[in-house]
């Protein structure tokens, strides 16, 4: 079955760049679908960070856009997140997810999620 | 700060019917964008519960149902079960923010 697995450092220093990778198994990332990143601060709600199409087309949460870069590596069947100039407010569980839907991307939902990885921003 | 507002908590006894509301605006639900619902059991990743306003993915019990009207949407759980105790989130697209938005989340407690 299709599985998503996040990986990356669990601790990042303030002002540095957070880097995470989402490895996809059981499905070719270059077939179709958008792929997204969502985060959840401890004890709080969900926030969409951004999404990428297998071709490399991206769109980001405007509130994070200046600091976010999402890329895809079809040869490794994975996609990645970089968030620069992090602060304690970026401490969260970071999830990668597959998007699905009919019609345009604005109608998408997140049908498969990784287990999430906790990233703490602290010196 | 989310643009989709949900009640912080709802509760019910086993077997009862509970509803979770999701209130939006003319730039998201009211603009015709679909609502999707997720269930997050304690310590786990969110799981898709309802998509496209009222459709259930394979494997989701039919006691879960969704509806949308105007600038609001609702998730109903009929015949509440102990295993339904979880956090529930609505999600849509917002044209003013040009991106996906999630609701504030609702904790459903089974008494």
């Amino acid at each position: 079955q299709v599985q998503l697995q996040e990986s990356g450092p669990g601790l990042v220093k303030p002002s540095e760049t957070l880097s995470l990778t989402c490895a996809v198994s059981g499905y070719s990332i270059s077939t179709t679908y958008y792929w997204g990143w969502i985060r959840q601060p401890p004890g709080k709600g969900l926030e969409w960070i951004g999404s990428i199409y297998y071709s490399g087309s991206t769109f980001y949460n405007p509130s994070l856009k200046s600091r976010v870069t999402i890329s895809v590596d079809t040869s490794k069947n994975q996609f990645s997140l970089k968030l620069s100039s992090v602060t304690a407010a970026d401490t969260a569980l970071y999830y990668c997810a597959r998007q699905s839907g009919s019609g345009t991307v604005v109608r998408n939902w997140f049908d498969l999620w990784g287990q999430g990885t906790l990233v703490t921003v602290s010196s | 700060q989310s643009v989709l507002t949900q009640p912080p908590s709802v509760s019910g006894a086993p077997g009862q019917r509970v509803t979770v509301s999701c209130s939006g605006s003319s730039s998201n639900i009211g603009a015709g964008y679909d609502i999707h619902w997720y269930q997050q059991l304690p310590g786990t990743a969110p799981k898709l519960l309802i998509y496209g306003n009222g459709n259930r993915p394979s494997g989701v019990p039919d006691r879960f149902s969704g509806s949308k009207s105007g600038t609001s949407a609702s998730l109903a759980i009929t015949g509440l079960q102990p295993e339904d105790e979880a956090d529930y989130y609505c999600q849509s697209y917002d044209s003013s923010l040009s991106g996906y938005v999630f609701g504030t989340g609702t904790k459903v407690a089974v008494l």
Side-chain angles (χ1 to χ4, degrees):
Chain A
Q1 72 277 26
V2 184
Q3 290 187 313
L4 291 80
Q5 179 68 57
E6 305 89 349
S7 63
L11 181 64
V12 181
K13 289 182 168 54
S15 80
E16 295 190 344
T17 296
L18 176 162
S19 296
L20 297 175
T21 296
C22 180
V24 180
S25 60
Y27 187 85
S28 172
I29 203 170
S30 58
T31 302
T32 185
Y33 293 112
Y34 272 85
W35 306 85
W37 286 97
I38 300 104
R39 69 180 183 179
Q40 183 174 35
K44 297 189 178 180
L46 301 167
E47 179 182 36
W48 171 71
I49 299 170
S51 301
I52 189 165
Y53 196 52
Y54 74 93
S55 63
S57 173
T58 56
F59 61 113
Y60 303 129
N61 184 327
S63 70
L64 298 170
K65 187 175 183 178
S66 63
R67 300 193 291 132
V68 173
T69 302
I70 297 176
S71 59
V72 64
D73 186 337
T74 55
S75 66
K76 294 182 178 179
N77 216 42
Q78 64 187 35
F79 60 106
S80 301
L81 167 71
K82 290 188 186 299
L83 180 66
S84 63
S85 305
V86 297
T87 69
D90 295 310
T91 293
L93 256 174
Y94 285 77
Y95 295 101
C96 60
R98 187 181 75 173
Q99 296 179 212
S100 189
S102 55
T104 64
V105 67
V106 298
R107 305 181 71 92
N108 275 188
W109 55 86
F110 299 95
D111 68 337
L112 287 173
W113 296 62
Q115 64 184 26
T117 187
L118 178 63
V119 178
T120 302
V121 178
S122 175
S123 56
Chain B
Q1 189 169 349
S2 178
V3 298
L4 300 179
T5 303
Q6 301 178 230
S9 64
V10 299
S11 61
Q16 283 190 329
R17 180 180 187 272
V18 298
T19 61
V20 178
S21 61
C22 176
S23 179
S25 69
S26 58
S27 62
N28 41 69
I29 303 175
Y33 295 111
D34 291 338
I35 278 287
H36 321 294
W37 291 91
Y38 303 87
Q39 177 193 59
Q40 187 175 32
L41 297 170
T44 69
K47 167 193 164 187
L48 180 66
L49 196 65
I50 297 285
Y51 67 92
N53 305 315
N55 301 292
R56 285 185 307 276
S58 174
V60 172
D62 60 6
R63 64 176 183 272
F64 293 95
S65 62
S67 63
K68 186 183 91 165
S69 179
T71 59
S72 295
S74 290
L75 171 72
I77 310 174
T78 56
L80 193 63
Q81 301 293 313
E83 59 264 33
D84 299 334
E85 193 159 277
D87 293 327
Y88 293 82
Y89 294 90
C90 58
Q91 176 246 315
S92 186
Y93 181 87
D94 189 282
S95 57
S96 294
L97 299 177
S98 297
Y100 302 115
V101 289
F102 286 92
T104 49
T106 298
K107 183 175 293 293
V108 171
V110 182
L111 304 174

